[in-house]
mmCIF file of all heavy atoms in Angstrom:
data_model
loop_
_atom_site.group_PDB
_atom_site.id
_atom_site.type_symbol
_atom_site.label_atom_id
_atom_site.label_comp_id
_atom_site.label_asym_id
_atom_site.label_seq_id
_atom_site.Cartn_x
_atom_site.Cartn_y
_atom_site.Cartn_z
ATOM 1 N N VAL A 1114 18.872 58.336 -5.698
ATOM 2 C CA VAL A 1114 19.828 57.287 -6.062
ATOM 3 C C VAL A 1114 19.276 56.347 -7.132
ATOM 4 O O VAL A 1114 18.103 55.946 -7.076
ATOM 5 C CB VAL A 1114 20.218 56.466 -4.805
ATOM 6 C CG1 VAL A 1114 21.098 55.288 -5.154
ATOM 7 C CG2 VAL A 1114 20.876 57.350 -3.767
ATOM 8 N N TRP A 1115 20.167 55.981 -8.087
ATOM 9 C CA TRP A 1115 19.917 54.948 -9.077
ATOM 10 C C TRP A 1115 21.083 53.972 -9.025
ATOM 11 O O TRP A 1115 22.231 54.380 -8.890
ATOM 12 C CB TRP A 1115 19.866 55.515 -10.495
ATOM 13 C CG TRP A 1115 18.717 56.428 -10.772
ATOM 14 C CD1 TRP A 1115 17.556 56.097 -11.399
ATOM 15 C CD2 TRP A 1115 18.609 57.815 -10.473
ATOM 16 N NE1 TRP A 1115 16.731 57.198 -11.507
ATOM 17 C CE2 TRP A 1115 17.372 58.263 -10.937
ATOM 18 C CE3 TRP A 1115 19.451 58.735 -9.833
ATOM 19 C CZ2 TRP A 1115 16.936 59.576 -10.795
ATOM 20 C CZ3 TRP A 1115 19.032 60.045 -9.693
ATOM 21 C CH2 TRP A 1115 17.779 60.455 -10.176
ATOM 22 N N VAL A 1116 20.800 52.693 -9.120
ATOM 23 C CA VAL A 1116 21.837 51.667 -9.192
ATOM 24 C C VAL A 1116 21.546 50.821 -10.426
ATOM 25 O O VAL A 1116 20.430 50.309 -10.579
ATOM 26 C CB VAL A 1116 21.878 50.790 -7.918
ATOM 27 C CG1 VAL A 1116 22.893 49.669 -8.070
ATOM 28 C CG2 VAL A 1116 22.182 51.627 -6.693
ATOM 29 N N ASN A 1117 22.536 50.705 -11.296
ATOM 30 C CA ASN A 1117 22.395 49.941 -12.536
ATOM 31 C C ASN A 1117 21.152 50.374 -13.321
ATOM 32 O O ASN A 1117 20.447 49.559 -13.906
ATOM 33 C CB ASN A 1117 22.360 48.438 -12.243
ATOM 34 C CG ASN A 1117 23.644 47.973 -11.587
ATOM 35 O OD1 ASN A 1117 24.722 48.427 -11.950
ATOM 36 N ND2 ASN A 1117 23.537 47.090 -10.623
ATOM 37 N N GLY A 1118 20.890 51.680 -13.314
ATOM 38 C CA GLY A 1118 19.768 52.232 -14.066
ATOM 39 C C GLY A 1118 18.416 52.102 -13.399
ATOM 40 O O GLY A 1118 17.414 52.593 -13.912
ATOM 41 N N THR A 1119 18.366 51.472 -12.245
ATOM 42 C CA THR A 1119 17.112 51.289 -11.504
ATOM 43 C C THR A 1119 16.992 52.337 -10.409
ATOM 44 O O THR A 1119 17.925 52.514 -9.614
ATOM 45 C CB THR A 1119 17.033 49.874 -10.885
ATOM 46 O OG1 THR A 1119 17.105 48.908 -11.942
ATOM 47 C CG2 THR A 1119 15.755 49.681 -10.100
ATOM 48 N N TYR A 1120 15.861 53.030 -10.372
ATOM 49 C CA TYR A 1120 15.624 54.029 -9.331
ATOM 50 C C TYR A 1120 15.509 53.337 -7.980
ATOM 51 O O TYR A 1120 14.720 52.405 -7.815
ATOM 52 C CB TYR A 1120 14.345 54.796 -9.647
ATOM 53 C CG TYR A 1120 14.051 55.906 -8.685
ATOM 54 C CD1 TYR A 1120 14.793 57.075 -8.714
ATOM 55 C CD2 TYR A 1120 13.038 55.796 -7.753
ATOM 56 C CE1 TYR A 1120 14.520 58.109 -7.831
ATOM 57 C CE2 TYR A 1120 12.754 56.815 -6.875
ATOM 58 C CZ TYR A 1120 13.498 57.976 -6.923
ATOM 59 O OH TYR A 1120 13.235 59.002 -6.050
ATOM 60 N N VAL A 1121 16.310 53.804 -7.002
ATOM 61 C CA VAL A 1121 16.322 53.201 -5.669
ATOM 62 C C VAL A 1121 15.496 54.024 -4.679
ATOM 63 O O VAL A 1121 14.833 53.468 -3.811
ATOM 64 C CB VAL A 1121 17.772 53.019 -5.167
ATOM 65 C CG1 VAL A 1121 17.807 52.543 -3.733
ATOM 66 C CG2 VAL A 1121 18.522 52.060 -6.067
ATOM 67 N N GLY A 1122 15.536 55.364 -4.798
ATOM 68 C CA GLY A 1122 14.763 56.194 -3.886
ATOM 69 C C GLY A 1122 15.362 57.565 -3.694
ATOM 70 O O GLY A 1122 16.392 57.905 -4.274
ATOM 71 N N ALA A 1123 14.694 58.350 -2.835
ATOM 72 C CA ALA A 1123 15.128 59.713 -2.529
ATOM 73 C C ALA A 1123 14.897 59.987 -1.053
ATOM 74 O O ALA A 1123 13.980 59.424 -0.448
ATOM 75 C CB ALA A 1123 14.363 60.718 -3.377
ATOM 76 N N LYS A 1124 15.742 60.844 -0.493
ATOM 77 C CA LYS A 1124 15.594 61.254 0.908
ATOM 78 C C LYS A 1124 15.897 62.741 1.002
ATOM 79 O O LYS A 1124 16.823 63.237 0.373
ATOM 80 C CB LYS A 1124 16.555 60.485 1.816
ATOM 81 C CG LYS A 1124 16.340 58.989 1.724
ATOM 82 C CD LYS A 1124 16.495 58.315 3.027
ATOM 83 C CE LYS A 1124 16.169 56.850 2.799
ATOM 84 N NZ LYS A 1124 16.200 56.095 3.966
ATOM 85 N N LEU A 1125 15.100 63.431 1.830
ATOM 86 C CA LEU A 1125 15.294 64.867 2.001
ATOM 87 C C LEU A 1125 16.270 65.220 3.114
ATOM 88 O O LEU A 1125 16.774 66.319 3.158
ATOM 89 C CB LEU A 1125 13.946 65.553 2.289
ATOM 90 C CG LEU A 1125 13.002 65.632 1.108
ATOM 91 C CD1 LEU A 1125 11.652 66.177 1.558
ATOM 92 C CD2 LEU A 1125 13.591 66.514 0.016
ATOM 93 N N TRP A 1126 16.496 64.297 4.035
ATOM 94 C CA TRP A 1126 17.408 64.568 5.152
ATOM 95 C C TRP A 1126 18.027 63.268 5.637
ATOM 96 O O TRP A 1126 17.548 62.189 5.313
ATOM 97 C CB TRP A 1126 16.685 65.286 6.290
ATOM 98 C CG TRP A 1126 15.381 64.672 6.642
ATOM 99 C CD1 TRP A 1126 15.171 63.548 7.385
ATOM 100 C CD2 TRP A 1126 14.084 65.108 6.236
ATOM 101 N NE1 TRP A 1126 13.833 63.265 7.477
ATOM 102 C CE2 TRP A 1126 13.136 64.211 6.780
ATOM 103 C CE3 TRP A 1126 13.623 66.178 5.469
ATOM 104 C CZ2 TRP A 1126 11.777 64.350 6.585
ATOM 105 C CZ3 TRP A 1126 12.267 66.302 5.274
ATOM 106 C CH2 TRP A 1126 11.371 65.412 5.833
ATOM 107 N N PRO A 1127 19.112 63.368 6.426
ATOM 108 C CA PRO A 1127 19.805 62.161 6.910
ATOM 109 C C PRO A 1127 18.897 61.330 7.807
ATOM 110 O O PRO A 1127 17.968 61.864 8.392
ATOM 111 C CB PRO A 1127 20.983 62.722 7.710
ATOM 112 C CG PRO A 1127 21.136 64.126 7.270
ATOM 113 C CD PRO A 1127 19.789 64.587 6.813
ATOM 114 N N PRO A 1128 19.183 60.072 7.929
ATOM 115 C CA PRO A 1128 20.319 59.378 7.321
ATOM 116 C C PRO A 1128 20.035 59.047 5.850
ATOM 117 O O PRO A 1128 18.915 58.673 5.500
ATOM 118 C CB PRO A 1128 20.456 58.096 8.135
ATOM 119 C CG PRO A 1128 19.075 57.817 8.636
ATOM 120 C CD PRO A 1128 18.415 59.169 8.819
ATOM 121 N N HIS A 1129 21.030 59.211 5.018
ATOM 122 C CA HIS A 1129 20.918 58.909 3.599
ATOM 123 C C HIS A 1129 21.379 57.475 3.346
ATOM 124 O O HIS A 1129 22.434 57.216 2.787
ATOM 125 C CB HIS A 1129 21.722 59.924 2.777
ATOM 126 C CG HIS A 1129 21.085 61.270 2.780
ATOM 127 N ND1 HIS A 1129 21.411 62.231 3.701
ATOM 128 C CD2 HIS A 1129 20.135 61.806 1.987
ATOM 129 C CE1 HIS A 1129 20.680 63.316 3.471
ATOM 130 N NE2 HIS A 1129 19.901 63.080 2.434
ATOM 131 N N ARG A 1130 20.551 56.532 3.808
ATOM 132 C CA ARG A 1130 20.811 55.103 3.632
ATOM 133 C C ARG A 1130 19.695 54.516 2.784
ATOM 134 O O ARG A 1130 18.515 54.786 3.020
ATOM 135 C CB ARG A 1130 20.852 54.390 4.981
ATOM 136 C CG ARG A 1130 22.029 54.772 5.810
ATOM 137 C CD ARG A 1130 22.101 53.934 7.091
ATOM 138 N NE ARG A 1130 23.048 54.545 7.990
ATOM 139 C CZ ARG A 1130 22.722 55.279 9.043
ATOM 140 N NH1 ARG A 1130 21.459 55.469 9.346
ATOM 141 N NH2 ARG A 1130 23.653 55.815 9.792
ATOM 142 N N PHE A 1131 20.082 53.703 1.809
ATOM 143 C CA PHE A 1131 19.119 53.121 0.891
ATOM 144 C C PHE A 1131 19.318 51.611 0.852
ATOM 145 O O PHE A 1131 20.398 51.143 0.504
ATOM 146 C CB PHE A 1131 19.301 53.698 -0.519
ATOM 147 C CG PHE A 1131 19.085 55.188 -0.587
ATOM 148 C CD1 PHE A 1131 20.114 56.073 -0.291
ATOM 149 C CD2 PHE A 1131 17.851 55.695 -0.942
ATOM 150 C CE1 PHE A 1131 19.913 57.436 -0.353
ATOM 151 C CE2 PHE A 1131 17.635 57.065 -1.002
ATOM 152 C CZ PHE A 1131 18.673 57.932 -0.698
ATOM 153 N N GLU A 1132 18.283 50.861 1.224
ATOM 154 C CA GLU A 1132 18.344 49.400 1.162
ATOM 155 C C GLU A 1132 17.760 48.965 -0.184
ATOM 156 O O GLU A 1132 16.684 49.404 -0.578
ATOM 157 C CB GLU A 1132 17.544 48.782 2.303
ATOM 158 C CG GLU A 1132 17.678 47.286 2.358
ATOM 159 C CD GLU A 1132 17.028 46.690 3.591
ATOM 160 O OE1 GLU A 1132 16.796 47.419 4.572
ATOM 161 O OE2 GLU A 1132 16.741 45.485 3.554
ATOM 162 N N THR A 1133 18.500 48.112 -0.898
ATOM 163 C CA THR A 1133 18.052 47.705 -2.227
ATOM 164 C C THR A 1133 18.602 46.333 -2.599
ATOM 165 O O THR A 1133 19.629 45.912 -2.069
ATOM 166 C CB THR A 1133 18.479 48.733 -3.292
ATOM 167 O OG1 THR A 1133 17.994 48.307 -4.569
ATOM 168 C CG2 THR A 1133 19.971 48.927 -3.347
ATOM 169 N N ASN A 1134 17.928 45.673 -3.508
ATOM 170 C CA ASN A 1134 18.392 44.381 -4.011
ATOM 171 C C ASN A 1134 18.853 44.468 -5.462
ATOM 172 O O ASN A 1134 18.976 43.447 -6.131
ATOM 173 C CB ASN A 1134 17.294 43.324 -3.873
ATOM 174 C CG ASN A 1134 16.088 43.623 -4.730
ATOM 175 O OD1 ASN A 1134 16.007 44.660 -5.382
ATOM 176 N ND2 ASN A 1134 15.128 42.735 -4.710
ATOM 177 N N VAL A 1135 19.114 45.671 -5.966
ATOM 178 C CA VAL A 1135 19.486 45.819 -7.379
ATOM 179 C C VAL A 1135 20.995 45.715 -7.646
ATOM 180 O O VAL A 1135 21.408 45.705 -8.801
ATOM 181 C CB VAL A 1135 18.923 47.130 -7.999
ATOM 182 C CG1 VAL A 1135 17.408 47.118 -7.946
ATOM 183 C CG2 VAL A 1135 19.488 48.341 -7.299
ATOM 184 N N PHE A 1136 21.792 45.632 -6.591
ATOM 185 C CA PHE A 1136 23.233 45.382 -6.799
ATOM 186 C C PHE A 1136 23.410 43.962 -7.306
ATOM 187 O O PHE A 1136 22.621 43.069 -6.992
ATOM 188 C CB PHE A 1136 24.023 45.573 -5.507
ATOM 189 C CG PHE A 1136 24.233 47.008 -5.133
ATOM 190 C CD1 PHE A 1136 23.428 47.609 -4.197
ATOM 191 C CD2 PHE A 1136 25.250 47.746 -5.729
ATOM 192 C CE1 PHE A 1136 23.625 48.936 -3.840
ATOM 193 C CE2 PHE A 1136 25.451 49.069 -5.388
ATOM 194 C CZ PHE A 1136 24.637 49.669 -4.438
ATOM 195 N N ARG A 1137 24.471 43.747 -8.071
ATOM 196 C CA ARG A 1137 24.740 42.418 -8.609
ATOM 197 C C ARG A 1137 26.226 42.092 -8.470
ATOM 198 O O ARG A 1137 27.054 43.003 -8.314
ATOM 199 C CB ARG A 1137 24.308 42.334 -10.063
ATOM 200 C CG ARG A 1137 24.997 43.354 -10.950
ATOM 201 C CD ARG A 1137 24.455 43.308 -12.365
ATOM 202 N NE ARG A 1137 25.027 44.382 -13.149
ATOM 203 C CZ ARG A 1137 24.346 45.282 -13.827
ATOM 204 N NH1 ARG A 1137 23.034 45.245 -13.847
ATOM 205 N NH2 ARG A 1137 24.958 46.219 -14.518
ATOM 206 N N THR A 1138 26.561 40.835 -8.549
ATOM 207 C CA THR A 1138 27.958 40.428 -8.550
ATOM 208 C C THR A 1138 28.629 41.034 -9.780
ATOM 209 O O THR A 1138 28.061 41.005 -10.872
ATOM 210 C CB THR A 1138 28.066 38.895 -8.590
ATOM 211 O OG1 THR A 1138 27.417 38.367 -7.419
ATOM 212 C CG2 THR A 1138 29.508 38.430 -8.615
ATOM 213 N N GLY A 1139 29.820 41.594 -9.597
ATOM 214 C CA GLY A 1139 30.535 42.226 -10.704
ATOM 215 C C GLY A 1139 30.378 43.735 -10.680
ATOM 216 O O GLY A 1139 30.239 44.355 -9.635
ATOM 217 N N THR A 1140 30.361 44.349 -11.866
ATOM 218 C CA THR A 1140 30.343 45.795 -12.010
ATOM 219 C C THR A 1140 28.952 46.372 -11.769
ATOM 220 O O THR A 1140 27.960 45.855 -12.286
ATOM 221 C CB THR A 1140 30.818 46.191 -13.416
ATOM 222 O OG1 THR A 1140 32.122 45.659 -13.620
ATOM 223 C CG2 THR A 1140 30.862 47.694 -13.591
ATOM 224 N N ASN A 1141 28.899 47.444 -10.982
ATOM 225 C CA ASN A 1141 27.662 48.157 -10.670
ATOM 226 C C ASN A 1141 27.861 49.648 -10.883
ATOM 227 O O ASN A 1141 28.868 50.209 -10.453
ATOM 228 C CB ASN A 1141 27.246 47.921 -9.219
ATOM 229 C CG ASN A 1141 26.837 46.494 -8.968
ATOM 230 O OD1 ASN A 1141 25.690 46.136 -9.104
ATOM 231 N ND2 ASN A 1141 27.803 45.650 -8.618
ATOM 232 N N GLU A 1142 26.893 50.280 -11.527
ATOM 233 C CA GLU A 1142 26.925 51.724 -11.768
ATOM 234 C C GLU A 1142 25.986 52.414 -10.779
ATOM 235 O O GLU A 1142 24.792 52.097 -10.737
ATOM 236 C CB GLU A 1142 26.496 52.053 -13.190
ATOM 237 C CG GLU A 1142 27.373 51.445 -14.259
ATOM 238 C CD GLU A 1142 28.769 52.053 -14.290
ATOM 239 O OE1 GLU A 1142 28.913 53.251 -13.971
ATOM 240 O OE2 GLU A 1142 29.717 51.322 -14.616
ATOM 241 N N ILE A 1143 26.526 53.350 -10.010
ATOM 242 C CA ILE A 1143 25.737 54.101 -9.043
ATOM 243 C C ILE A 1143 25.672 55.553 -9.507
ATOM 244 O O ILE A 1143 26.701 56.147 -9.836
ATOM 245 C CB ILE A 1143 26.365 54.039 -7.633
ATOM 246 C CG1 ILE A 1143 26.498 52.588 -7.177
ATOM 247 C CG2 ILE A 1143 25.552 54.853 -6.643
ATOM 248 C CD1 ILE A 1143 27.343 52.425 -5.931
ATOM 249 N N ARG A 1144 24.464 56.118 -9.541
ATOM 250 C CA ARG A 1144 24.307 57.544 -9.847
ATOM 251 C C ARG A 1144 23.543 58.175 -8.698
ATOM 252 O O ARG A 1144 22.508 57.641 -8.255
ATOM 253 C CB ARG A 1144 23.548 57.775 -11.140
ATOM 254 C CG ARG A 1144 23.445 59.259 -11.490
ATOM 255 C CD ARG A 1144 22.979 59.493 -12.909
ATOM 256 N NE ARG A 1144 21.647 58.994 -13.164
ATOM 257 C CZ ARG A 1144 20.555 59.765 -13.203
ATOM 258 N NH1 ARG A 1144 20.630 61.064 -12.992
ATOM 259 N NH2 ARG A 1144 19.382 59.222 -13.473
ATOM 260 N N ILE A 1145 24.083 59.270 -8.194
ATOM 261 C CA ILE A 1145 23.489 59.958 -7.058
ATOM 262 C C ILE A 1145 23.289 61.419 -7.440
ATOM 263 O O ILE A 1145 24.225 62.088 -7.864
ATOM 264 C CB ILE A 1145 24.394 59.869 -5.819
ATOM 265 C CG1 ILE A 1145 24.662 58.403 -5.474
ATOM 266 C CG2 ILE A 1145 23.772 60.609 -4.641
ATOM 267 C CD1 ILE A 1145 25.820 58.206 -4.531
ATOM 268 N N ARG A 1146 22.082 61.896 -7.273
ATOM 269 C CA ARG A 1146 21.773 63.318 -7.496
ATOM 270 C C ARG A 1146 21.611 63.954 -6.124
ATOM 271 O O ARG A 1146 20.828 63.489 -5.305
ATOM 272 C CB ARG A 1146 20.501 63.469 -8.311
ATOM 273 C CG ARG A 1146 20.062 64.919 -8.469
ATOM 274 C CD ARG A 1146 18.954 65.055 -9.476
ATOM 275 N NE ARG A 1146 19.551 64.776 -10.786
ATOM 276 C CZ ARG A 1146 18.873 64.254 -11.806
ATOM 277 N NH1 ARG A 1146 17.614 63.948 -11.681
ATOM 278 N NH2 ARG A 1146 19.481 64.029 -12.951
ATOM 279 N N VAL A 1147 22.367 65.008 -5.859
ATOM 280 C CA VAL A 1147 22.266 65.719 -4.595
ATOM 281 C C VAL A 1147 21.810 67.153 -4.866
ATOM 282 O O VAL A 1147 22.091 67.720 -5.917
ATOM 283 C CB VAL A 1147 23.593 65.719 -3.801
ATOM 284 C CG1 VAL A 1147 23.965 64.327 -3.360
ATOM 285 C CG2 VAL A 1147 24.721 66.350 -4.598
ATOM 286 N N GLY A 1148 21.103 67.705 -3.903
ATOM 287 C CA GLY A 1148 20.637 69.081 -3.992
ATOM 288 C C GLY A 1148 20.845 69.777 -2.672
ATOM 289 O O GLY A 1148 20.736 69.171 -1.614
ATOM 290 N N ASN A 1149 21.172 71.066 -2.746
ATOM 291 C CA ASN A 1149 21.384 71.825 -1.525
ATOM 292 C C ASN A 1149 20.349 72.943 -1.413
ATOM 293 O O ASN A 1149 19.524 73.128 -2.300
ATOM 294 C CB ASN A 1149 22.815 72.371 -1.450
ATOM 295 C CG ASN A 1149 23.127 73.304 -2.605
ATOM 296 O OD1 ASN A 1149 22.295 73.586 -3.437
ATOM 297 N ND2 ASN A 1149 24.348 73.776 -2.661
ATOM 298 N N LEU A 1150 20.421 73.682 -0.328
ATOM 299 C CA LEU A 1150 19.497 74.785 -0.102
ATOM 300 C C LEU A 1150 19.761 75.930 -1.064
ATOM 301 O O LEU A 1150 20.877 76.096 -1.567
ATOM 302 C CB LEU A 1150 19.645 75.309 1.329
ATOM 303 C CG LEU A 1150 19.206 74.371 2.442
ATOM 304 C CD1 LEU A 1150 19.528 74.980 3.794
ATOM 305 C CD2 LEU A 1150 17.731 74.071 2.338
ATOM 306 N N VAL A 1151 18.741 76.754 -1.280
ATOM 307 C CA VAL A 1151 18.900 77.929 -2.130
ATOM 308 C C VAL A 1151 19.970 78.852 -1.563
ATOM 309 O O VAL A 1151 20.831 79.341 -2.277
ATOM 310 C CB VAL A 1151 17.555 78.662 -2.283
ATOM 311 C CG1 VAL A 1151 17.740 79.960 -3.031
ATOM 312 C CG2 VAL A 1151 16.548 77.761 -2.993
ATOM 313 N N ASN A 1152 19.958 79.086 -0.245
ATOM 314 C CA ASN A 1152 20.985 79.911 0.383
ATOM 315 C C ASN A 1152 22.110 79.008 0.835
ATOM 316 O O ASN A 1152 22.063 78.432 1.902
ATOM 317 C CB ASN A 1152 20.410 80.691 1.569
ATOM 318 C CG ASN A 1152 21.466 81.547 2.247
ATOM 319 O OD1 ASN A 1152 22.601 81.600 1.805
ATOM 320 N ND2 ASN A 1152 21.082 82.216 3.307
ATOM 321 N N ASN A 1153 23.135 78.895 0.046
ATOM 322 C CA ASN A 1153 24.222 77.963 0.314
ATOM 323 C C ASN A 1153 25.448 78.673 0.872
ATOM 324 O O ASN A 1153 26.565 78.365 0.530
ATOM 325 C CB ASN A 1153 24.583 77.210 -0.970
ATOM 326 C CG ASN A 1153 25.528 76.082 -0.682
ATOM 327 O OD1 ASN A 1153 25.397 75.439 0.341
ATOM 328 N ND2 ASN A 1153 26.478 75.862 -1.555
#
Side-chain angles (χ1 to χ4, degrees):
V1114 174
W1115 293 261
V1116 176
N1117 298 321
T1119 300
Y1120 184 73
V1121 174
K1124 302 218 176 183
L1125 288 173
W1126 47 78
H1129 289 92
R1130 292 186 194 103
F1131 298 85
E1132 186 173 340
T1133 181
N1134 65 356
V1135 299
F1136 284 99
R1137 59 184 174 234
T1138 300
T1140 302
N1141 292 270
E1142 299 292 328
I1143 302 169
R1144 183 167 62 101
I1145 303 164
R1146 175 170 290 151
V1147 294
N1149 61 2
L1150 293 175
V1151 174
N1152 179 3
N1153 190 37

